[in-house]
Amino acid sequence: MSDLTMPVASFSPLYEQIKAMILASLQASEWLPGDAIPSEMELAARYAVSQGTVRKAIDELAAQNLLVRRQGKGTFVATHQEDDWQYRFLRLAPDSGEKFHLISQFLTCVKTKASPYVANLLKLKAGDSVIHIDRVQSFAGKPIVFEEIWLSGGRFKGLDLDALTAWHGPVYALYESQYFTHMVRAEEKIKAIAANQVLAKHLNLEVGAPLLSVERVAYTYGNKPVEIRHARYDTSDQHYENKLN
């Protein structure tokens, strides 16, 4: 057999291996959202590598918003309970430039069976148990977002309308604290639509008013999809903002 036909071994750089080990600890809940992780020196001793290797691994995890560096304090697991992270996945912003603070009103929270479409996105089987939530979010006293949310019934056992209504922080922070589920990334599909009667009613608009439809699938560690969120935005006084690097 010639060299050209020999299988080629694939090796990842050492810092990538350390990154994978740290990520495995995050996935195993060794360090929970908001917790400080061990120092670079401690991790270097733990993995028998240099601090520089650990630092590069942490830099990459911080760039992916999985870890947060705090000057003089250390490195922490990212959490949606912090003010700066509450709207991490929300790209809606007021035209006025005001600080955004949305007020939620949960309308329904029911157990149902996953449709083939929902099951496919959440990597479930059609007919598996899911939780379906409807909510309206308002800004400055005006409803501007209507959302439908689907969650795996197995992962979010016991979640009901009373629990959602009693929770006063971001929903993703509820997922973290009560269900040990941390959202680490999301994918979105966006299109322009016209308000039907249901949307017009919830958002106090005329039927046919223009809306922005945003369907999001959010993932936790291990690239596991755990939430579908279909939002319709009234962008008459808001805009969708995304920064591209």
Side-chain angles (χ1 to χ4, degrees):
M1 182 181 292
S2 70
D3 290 343
L4 292 178
T5 58
M6 288 289 288
V8 177
S10 177
F11 298 98
S12 59
L14 186 55
Y15 79 89
E16 288 281 2
Q17 298 174 42
I18 302 307
K19 175 184 171 183
M21 292 179 187
I22 296 174
L23 186 57
S25 291
L26 294 173
Q27 292 173 336
S29 297
E30 179 178 347
W31 311 305
L32 298 175
D35 286 352
I37 69 169
S39 68
E40 291 178 0
M41 183 180 297
E42 291 171 316
L43 290 173
R46 173 175 174 169
Y47 300 127
V49 296
S50 69
Q51 283 184 243
T53 299
V54 170
R55 185 175 303 117
K56 189 166 184 180
I58 290 176
D59 284 344
E60 289 218 345
L61 291 168
Q64 293 173 2
N65 295 313
L66 298 179
L67 298 176
V68 178
R69 290 189 181 276
R70 294 180 186 158
Q71 188 68 33
K73 295 183 178 180
T75 303
F76 295 77
V77 183
T79 172
H80 290 279
Q81 299 196 49
E82 294 184 7
D83 289 343
D84 291 345
W85 281 67
Q86 288 188 14
Y87 301 121
R88 176 185 163 196
F89 292 149
L90 181 66
R91 293 292 181 259
L92 199 64
D95 293 340
S96 63
E98 296 176 67
K99 187 174 181 179
F100 215 28
H101 181 66
L102 292 173
I103 303 298
S104 291
Q105 179 186 6
F106 291 96
L107 306 177
T108 62
C109 177
V110 297
K111 292 180 181 179
T112 186
K113 293 182 178 180
S115 67
Y117 181 75
V118 167
N120 180 59
L121 291 181
L122 290 179
K123 304 303 181 187
L124 302 172
K125 295 179 181 177
D128 280 356
S129 173
V130 292
I131 297 171
H132 181 216
I133 300 165
D134 286 347
R135 78 167 170 175
V136 171
Q137 292 183 287
S138 300
F139 175 62
K142 180 183 178 183
I144 62 170
V145 182
F146 175 74
E147 288 183 324
E148 292 180 274
I149 299 170
W150 291 266
L151 303 165
S152 165
R155 180 180 286 266
F156 294 92
K157 289 180 180 178
L159 183 62
D160 58 20
L161 187 59
D162 288 341
L164 289 168
T165 302
W167 182 260
H168 297 298
V171 174
Y172 284 175
L174 172 66
Y175 298 165
E176 282 183 3
S177 63
Q178 302 298 317
Y179 298 96
F180 304 102
T181 299
H182 179 57
M183 301 303 191
V184 298
R185 74 177 190 88
E187 297 177 357
E188 290 185 337
K189 295 179 180 179
I190 304 171
K191 67 189 299 183
I193 64 169
N196 58 22
Q197 288 186 335
V198 173
L199 296 173
K201 178 182 177 181
H202 286 306
L203 297 175
N204 292 341
L205 299 170
E206 296 290 334
V207 173
L211 297 173
L212 195 63
S213 170
V214 180
E215 184 181 85
R216 175 195 306 166
V217 179
Y219 297 78
T220 190
Y221 297 119
N223 208 33
K224 297 176 182 177
V226 291
E227 183 205 56
I228 302 168
R229 184 175 297 203
H230 190 187
R232 288 77 153 190
Y233 298 151
D234 173 10
T235 57
S236 54
D237 296 308
Q238 292 75 223
H239 59 275
Y240 188 92
E241 180 179 83
N242 199 8
K243 296 178 181 178
L244 305 177
N245 295 326

